[in-house]
Amino acid sequence: MPATRMWCGVLLAAVALGVAGCSSNTRPSDKGVTPMGKTYVSTDVKGSPIPGGGPLTLSFKDNRISANAGCNTATGPVTLDGHVVTTTDNMASTLMACPGDLAYADQWVQGFLSSSPDWKIYGSNLILTGNGQTVTLRDRQVAQPPKPLIGTTWIVDGLIRPDATVRSRALDEARPAITIAADNTLSGSAGCNSITGNAEVNGKDVTFHVATTKMMCDADVMAVEAEVLQALDGKTTTSIDGDTLTIRNTANNTGLELRVE
């Protein structure tokens, strides 16, 4: 009988350890971990789907949130207190018209974020629950490892101004793009005219020396081109998050957001 009791004790201890091990796999990350400073891309939506298919991309930086589900990008202040995502009702947004189901993507984002969804982090995943929906997003650094600056063709999809980042139909149609080759030569398009020149890369600092052809295009395209060339005028600071490159020109307070072609 004593031997039987000893065996039962060992068995119960093993079961207890097994339960503890299983529960640790479903337990959220440390309480101090928040989404701030990271960008997440949705991998699953339970409930009302994203019109147009998404994905939903959420960026958290400097107590602000940026949200895009395939059409316009909305930005504004955010708090994460009590594991709740709280935004304002009047988030700033780009004003691009989107075709088909994508036209309703912005409304989906607004409805979801205005519901003040709960948030939890499990490893590299962020799970948001609100408005009858559960959205699973993955850290973009894991889902989409950073592309190299050199040798990648980058398409401009946002013009950074002092007060906002702007996206427009003219920008999408012009499709400005740049490529920095291994020998630091620069090629691409400013929207209307072709770009040539070179880019001196020193870590995250890139100094552009740009020349262009001299064609004339529609006024809207020329306006886009002027902003692209202003951002690529001289020394800039770059950062890459997944498939997104950000170029900032602190000398004239402009910049570009670019994505992989």
Side-chain angles (χ1 to χ4, degrees):
M1 183 66 68
T4 301
R5 282 199 297 267
M6 181 179 296
W7 168 250
C8 289
V10 172
L11 179 61
L12 288 173
V15 170
L17 286 173
V19 171
C22 292
S23 63
S24 67
N25 291 332
T26 59
R27 195 172 295 159
S29 300
D30 294 340
K31 293 181 180 180
V33 177
T34 78
M36 196 58 65
K38 294 185 177 181
T39 297
Y40 293 86
V41 181
S42 66
T43 57
D44 182 66
V45 177
K46 289 183 172 60
S48 176
I50 302 172
L56 172 64
T57 301
L58 296 179
S59 296
F60 300 86
K61 185 177 181 180
D62 299 330
N63 297 320
R64 295 182 66 82
I65 187 173
S66 174
N68 181 286
C71 188
N72 287 287
T73 298
T75 60
V78 65
T79 62
L80 302 171
D81 299 339
H83 280 256
V84 174
V85 177
T86 304
T87 61
T88 59
D89 293 332
N90 57 344
M91 294 174 67
S93 177
T94 54
L95 299 173
M96 189 181 74
C98 298
D101 290 343
L102 283 178
Y104 304 98
D106 297 344
Q107 184 178 351
W108 185 95
V109 171
Q110 181 181 9
F112 183 63
L113 291 181
S114 64
S115 72
S116 299
D118 295 332
W119 66 267
K120 292 183 176 65
I121 290 181
Y122 294 84
S124 60
N125 288 340
L126 169 66
I127 299 179
L128 301 180
T129 305
N131 203 31
Q133 298 154 302
T134 298
V135 181
T136 301
L137 306 99
R138 179 162 294 177
D139 186 338
R140 191 161 67 178
Q141 295 282 2
V142 176
Q144 301 171 346
K147 297 291 185 179
L149 173 65
I150 305 298
T152 301
T153 297
W154 299 96
I155 307 294
V156 180
D157 68 353
L159 302 172
I160 300 175
R161 297 173 181 173
D163 56 345
T165 299
V166 177
R167 184 180 176 189
S168 67
R169 183 178 295 276
L171 175 62
D172 284 352
E173 292 176 350
R175 288 175 59 84
I178 61 171
T179 304
I180 303 173
D183 61 358
N184 288 351
T185 56
L186 179 68
S187 61
S189 167
C192 176
N193 287 282
S194 297
I195 286 176
T196 56
N198 66 80
E200 301 173 12
V201 180
N202 183 16
K204 293 185 177 182
D205 293 334
V206 180
T207 301
F208 290 95
H209 303 279
V210 178
T212 68
T213 54
K214 301 297 181 183
M215 293 173 55
M216 293 297 295
C217 296
D218 292 342
D220 289 346
V221 175
M222 297 307 295
V224 166
E225 177 164 296
E227 291 196 58
V228 171
L229 293 176
Q230 186 179 18
L232 298 178
D233 181 17
K235 185 177 180 178
T236 68
T237 300
T238 66
S239 61
I240 298 176
D241 184 5
D243 62 353
T244 300
L245 166 66
T246 301
I247 297 175
R248 295 187 181 276
N249 190 322
T250 56
N252 55 34
N253 204 19
T254 64
L256 303 172
E257 285 189 353
L258 308 95
R259 59 177 172 78
V260 176
E261 185 177 29

